[in-house]
Amino acid sequence: MPKAPGHATPPARHSRIRLVAIYTAVALALLGGGGLAAAHMEDSDSFCASCHTQPESTFYQRSQAAPVDLASAHAAKGVACIACHSGPGVGGRVGAMTLGAKDMVAYIAGHYSSPAVLTSHIGDSYCLKCHGDIGDSGEFNNHFHTLLPKWQQRDPAHAATCADCHASHATGGEPQIAFLRQAPTLAICQRCHAFAGEG
């Protein structure tokens, strides 16, 4: 007795499904492998610096000598540029890799800005990946870190961020206090105190 139409899958359809599955698996493997290779290359400061223009070229050269700014002090401790230039988690890393790929295409095509323009803001979450416990101490000498989240919550448009005080690539800071520059940092202290009604 013949089978009712539609119950048996024709061999040609099985072949197409199998072929699509194989192509999909190969594409995913290539994307995954490419992503891992890109992540490995991005961990190398010299790879990133190979096509960066000014001022990044200067920043990279500073990282090859005695620290003169916060970024080069991080480099001296083995912290790669990508650690500070990517957000938290896998999403932050993928975002940085996507931006890096876009920048690389622009460089190869000759359509890049020189000097380079910062297109991705370094948010507090980038710093807190490694320095998440910075506000834990309630001591007076740490009150600025402890109170910063409250200021940011109450006045998000005007409150300071980590990078406002801790400018990674600015020179002229004091090494004994994490390369803070006195005048800009004191100005931020005064803004906070004024917001709190003490200035």
Side-chain angles (χ1 to χ4, degrees):
M1 183 167 162
K3 291 187 177 181
H7 287 334
T9 305
R13 187 167 180 210
H14 272 298
S15 295
R16 280 192 308 249
I17 291 171
R18 201 172 302 130
L19 194 58
V20 168
I22 289 170
Y23 281 138
T24 301
V26 168
L28 289 173
L30 289 173
L31 282 172
L36 289 174
H40 178 70
M41 289 187 292
E42 254 190 347
D43 282 333
S44 168
D45 292 348
S46 61
F47 171 77
C48 294
S50 66
C51 66
H52 271 295
T53 58
Q54 288 299 341
E56 284 92 349
S57 301
T58 298
F59 299 157
Y60 174 70
Q61 291 304 319
R62 284 185 199 159
S63 74
Q64 304 303 300
V68 294
D69 61 15
L70 188 59
S72 58
H74 277 77
K77 294 179 181 178
V79 178
C81 297
I82 192 64
C84 298
H85 286 277
S86 64
V90 174
R93 186 64 187 257
V94 169
M97 289 172 62
T98 303
L99 180 60
K102 180 182 163 196
D103 289 347
M104 184 174 72
V105 168
Y107 181 79
I108 291 169
H111 301 293
Y112 58 91
S113 298
S114 185
V117 177
L118 180 65
T119 57
S120 180
H121 177 71
I122 306 295
D124 288 358
S125 62
Y126 291 45
C127 303
L128 294 174
K129 293 183 304 187
C130 298
H131 303 286
D133 61 348
I134 195 72
D136 290 352
S137 168
E139 297 175 5
F140 177 77
N141 286 339
N142 196 42
H143 73 280
F144 33 86
H145 289 129
T146 305
L147 298 175
L148 180 61
K150 293 177 184 176
W151 184 20
Q152 291 172 334
Q153 184 179 33
R154 292 181 185 154
D155 189 16
H158 302 102
T161 66
C162 297
D164 288 335
C165 293
H166 301 281
S168 298
H169 297 292
T171 57
E174 300 179 37
Q176 66 274 20
I177 53 172
F179 292 94
L180 287 175
R181 294 174 302 141
Q182 186 174 3
T185 304
L186 284 175
I188 293 168
C189 292
Q190 290 166 355
R191 280 176 40 212
C192 184
H193 282 248
F195 177 77
E198 298 175 9

